[in-house]
Amino acid sequence: MCGLVCLWNIDDAALARRMIDRIAHRGPDETGIHSLPGIPAVMAHCRLSIIGTENGSQPIPGEGALLAVNGEIYNHRALRAALGPARFATDSDSEVILHLFADGAPTWIAEPDGMFAFVLATPERVVAGRDPLGIKPLFMARIGDGLAFASELKAFDGLGLDTIAAIEPGTLFDSRHGVRRWFRMPQGAADLRGDEDPEPLWRELRLVLEAAVRKWLVADVEVGSFLSGGLDSSIVAAIAAQSLDRPLKTFSVGMADSPDLVAARAVARHIGAEHHELVFTAEDLAEILPHVIYHLESADTDLVRSALPTHFATTLARRHVKAVLTGEGADELFAGYSYHHAYRNRHRQLADEITRSLGTMHNINLQRVDRITMAQGLEARTPFLDRDLIAFAQSIPASLKMKADSEADGGSTEKWILRKACEDLLPPALLWRKKAQFDEGSGTVEALQTALSGLLGTAPPVDRNSEGRLYERILRERFEEPDFILANAGVWTGGRVAV
C-alpha cells in the first residue's frame, strides 16, 4: 500500500517532492521520484512494501511507460504467468498493470483483481484508473496546461487550485480518449423464485467467502485482522484463522470492559487467535482528535466518530503487522444497517438500496478506512468487497438478507444468509449477537461526549451542531486552504431508495 503523485506536462520535480512529502505517511518504507526521457511526466511514490518487498520499488519504468500504483493486485501471479514471466523486472504485483496496458487489449483494465489506484504515463498520454469500489483513492487537478494526480487531497493543499476531481470508482481516465466506466455494480436480486430452496445459496456463499478471504490474505508479510467482536470482523477472522498455518493476530480496541472488547475476547479464544487489545479513554479521544480529522480530510460528524476507534485499532495493529483484514462492506452487501429493517416486505426496494449504497462507499466508510489506516502506514484489506463475492452476493435475493422472522412477531433478521452460511464458525451467542456500530460497541460515543465537553468547556451532552462546528474548526486550523479540502471531502450520500 502506498501513496502516489504524478505531474503530467508539468516539469517540476520540486513540486512532486512537496506533494509526496504531504502524504509520506502512506508509505514509510521508501520514497522515489522518477522521470524518463521522452515522457512528459514526473512521478513520485511512497511505499509500504507488502508484495515484492526486496525489489518492488516504484515508480516502475518499462514498455515505454512509467507507472505508479497504490494498492494490491491479488491475481498478479496468474496474470504474470499469462503475460510471460520474462517480461517482468520486479516481483511487485503492481507491474502487471504496465504489461497489460502495453499489450493493448480493449478490456485490459478489467484484468487486475484487487484494490488499486494507478497513474501510467507514455510519451503521448497519461492514463489513470481506480478499482471497482474505490477502495483506494485518486484525485486529479489541472495546473496550467498540465495535470496533477495524487492519493490524498492534502497533497494539493496550498497550491491555489480552483477545481479538483476524484477519479471515480470503476473508471479509467485517458488524456487521449477521456473517461470510460469499465465496472458497473451488478443489480441486486429481490426474491426467491417460487419454491426455490435457499440452502444451495448459503452453502455456495460460504465457499465464495472463503475464497475471498484467502485471496485477500496474499502477501509477503504477515497479515492480521481487526476484530471488534461483531459479526463481520468475526467471520473474516475465523476464516482467516482456518486458512493460516500460524495463529492469526487479532486486534480489538475500546473503553475498558466495553461490549466490543468482551465479545472480541470470546471470538479470539474460539478461533485460537493471538489476540491484542488497546483500551482508550476520553482524554485519549480529545488528544488525537486533530490528528484524526487532518488525516480523515473531512469534518463530517459521523465519519469522525467512526474514525476515532479506527485510529486506535490502527495504532495497536501497526505495532505487530503491516496489513490487516477488516469486515467493511458486509453491512452494505447483506443489509446489516438498522434502517434496512424498514424494507422488510419491500424486497425490490431493498435490493435497489443495497446496490445504491455499495456505489457510495468510497465517499464514506472506505474513505475512513483508507485515510486512518494509511496515516500510520497500515494496509487495510476488505475481503467482503472482493469483486467475485460482490457478484455472487448481488445474485442472492434481498429477502434472504433481511429475512422476516415470522408473520406473528413482525420482526426481521439482518444479514440472515451470511449468518446461516457461517453457522459453524462461531458460537450461537456470537453469531447472532445484536449489531452495534463500531463507535457504539467500542464505547466511543459515550467517551466522546466527555471529551467534547472538555474541549468546548460546556456540560454534556454536546449537541450534533456544536460537535460538527468543532470538527470543522479543527480542520480549518490544520490546512492552508481548508475551504478547498471541505469542498472536496467525501460526504454521506443521501437519496436512499424509498420504502
Side-chain angles (χ1 to χ4, degrees):
M1 202 55 61
C2 314
L4 66 84
V5 166
C6 174
L7 303 180
W8 170 256
N9 279 334
I10 304 170
D11 186 15
D12 194 339
L15 176 58
R17 167 62 69 177
R18 172 186 172 181
M19 293 176 70
I20 201 67
D21 285 347
R22 292 284 182 89
I23 59 174
H25 48 269
R26 296 183 67 91
D29 292 336
E30 182 181 16
T31 298
I33 299 178
H34 201 38
S35 59
L36 287 177
I39 297 179
V42 180
M43 284 194 186
H45 189 271
C46 52
R47 184 180 182 223
L48 178 67
S49 54
I50 302 292
I51 294 176
T53 56
E54 297 301 319
N55 64 356
S57 299
Q58 295 195 45
I60 303 174
E63 306 256 13
L66 187 61
L67 170 73
V69 182
N70 166 32
E72 302 288 353
I73 311 299
Y74 296 117
N75 63 337
H76 71 100
R77 291 192 182 98
L79 291 174
R80 183 182 294 261
L83 289 163
R87 299 172 67 178
F88 286 77
T90 77
D91 294 321
S92 170
D93 57 305
S94 299
E95 192 180 345
V96 298
I97 292 175
L98 199 66
H99 305 300
L100 286 167
F101 173 81
D103 282 358
T107 59
W108 70 271
I109 182 58
E111 294 297 318
D113 184 5
M115 54 179 185
F116 55 83
F118 68 87
V119 182
L120 185 151
T122 75
E124 300 83 20
R125 62 211 268 220
V126 62
V127 177
R130 198 170 173 196
D131 67 65
L133 273 292
I135 300 171
K136 293 291 102 186
L138 186 60
F139 297 92
M140 177 179 71
R142 295 197 176 273
I143 299 180
D145 293 329
L147 295 171
F149 301 83
S151 297
E152 294 187 15
L153 289 171
K154 59 178 63 67
F156 300 94
D157 186 32
L159 300 185
L161 302 177
D162 293 327
T163 59
I164 190 171
I167 302 295
E168 291 297 315
T171 64
L172 184 74
F173 167 82
D174 188 322
S175 60
R176 176 185 291 173
H177 301 298
V179 177
R180 55 183 275 213
R181 179 167 293 282
W182 62 271
F183 177 85
R184 297 190 70 84
M185 186 65 61
Q187 180 61 46
D191 287 299
L192 284 169
R193 299 186 303 273
D195 59 353
E196 185 180 2
D197 183 0
E199 182 173 342
L201 282 174
W202 60 257
R203 290 195 180 279
E204 187 67 17
L205 172 60
R206 172 65 171 272
L207 296 176
V208 177
L209 180 57
E210 289 176 346
V213 173
R214 287 194 298 269
K215 183 194 303 183
W216 289 61
L217 277 170
V218 171
D220 293 338
V221 299
E222 186 173 9
V223 179
S225 188
F226 283 164
L227 181 59
S228 70
L231 178 69
D232 310 331
S233 65
S234 297
I235 286 174
V236 168
I239 294 174
Q242 292 182 349
S243 305
L244 298 172
D245 57 4
R246 54 167 173 79
L248 174 72
K249 289 185 171 72
T250 54
F251 309 100
S252 181
V253 300
M255 299 289 289
D257 298 321
S258 61
D260 277 3
L261 284 180
V262 174
R265 288 172 201 154
V267 174
R269 284 194 301 270
H270 183 76
I271 66 175
E274 179 188 317
H275 191 54
H276 303 270
E277 293 182 355
L278 187 153
V279 174
F280 58 81
T281 65
E283 290 76 17
D284 295 327
L285 291 174
E287 181 181 349
I288 59 94
L289 193 56
H291 169 91
V292 165
I293 289 174
Y294 172 72
H295 283 286
L296 185 62
E297 300 184 328
S298 173
D300 182 274
T301 301
D302 291 313
L303 269 185
V304 173
R305 285 182 175 184
S306 59
L308 291 167
T310 303
H311 164 82
F312 291 112
T314 299
T315 299
L316 174 62
R318 194 60 180 89
R319 296 170 185 169
H320 303 273
V321 297
K322 297 174 78 170
V324 291
L325 303 176
T326 82
E328 295 296 332
D331 286 325
E332 286 79 5
L333 202 54
F334 293 101
Y337 290 117
S338 58
Y339 82 90
H340 286 143
H341 285 271
Y343 296 94
R344 177 176 179 267
N345 295 313
R346 302 287 189 275
H347 302 142
R348 178 70 268 162
Q349 290 93 327
L350 176 57
D352 291 345
E353 171 59 17
I354 289 171
T355 304
R356 183 205 68 84
S357 62
L358 284 167
T360 67
M361 288 191 70
H362 62 285
N363 273 339
I364 42 177
N365 286 340
L366 292 179
Q367 176 173 323
R368 166 182 56 81
V369 172
D370 172 82
R371 301 301 194 283
I372 300 305
T373 56
M374 293 309 296
Q376 299 187 59
L378 179 74
E379 176 177 290
R381 299 180 168 193
T382 55
F384 275 111
L385 298 179
D386 178 78
R387 191 162 51 174
D388 293 336
L389 178 55
I390 287 174
F392 185 77
Q394 284 290 81
S395 75
I396 296 173
S399 57
L400 297 179
K401 297 177 180 181
M402 182 63 68
K403 190 173 187 299
D405 296 334
S406 71
E407 290 300 325
D409 61 28
S412 51
T413 300
E414 72 274 4
K415 295 187 282 196
W416 179 86
I417 194 165
L418 178 62
R419 298 175 194 268
K420 189 68 178 174
C422 300
E423 215 166 13
D424 61 314
L425 285 177
L426 301 166
L430 298 173
L431 188 78
W432 300 97
R433 181 191 177 208
K434 182 177 174 59
K435 176 182 171 55
Q437 289 184 189
F438 189 23
D439 53 352
E440 295 172 345
S442 63
T444 304
V445 172
E446 181 180 346
L448 185 58
Q449 278 292 317
T450 302
L452 293 173
S453 296
L455 291 169
L456 293 171
T458 62
V462 175
D463 63 80
R464 282 181 65 90
N465 289 334
S466 299
E467 182 181 354
R469 286 194 296 269
L470 173 63
Y471 296 162
E472 182 174 335
R473 175 166 62 81
I474 292 172
L475 184 146
R476 289 185 175 279
E477 291 170 352
R478 295 301 305 268
F479 288 96
E480 296 178 42
E481 297 176 310
D483 288 332
F484 170 81
I485 300 297
L486 288 166
N488 292 285
V491 295
W492 294 89
T493 304
R496 289 177 181 171
V497 174
V499 177

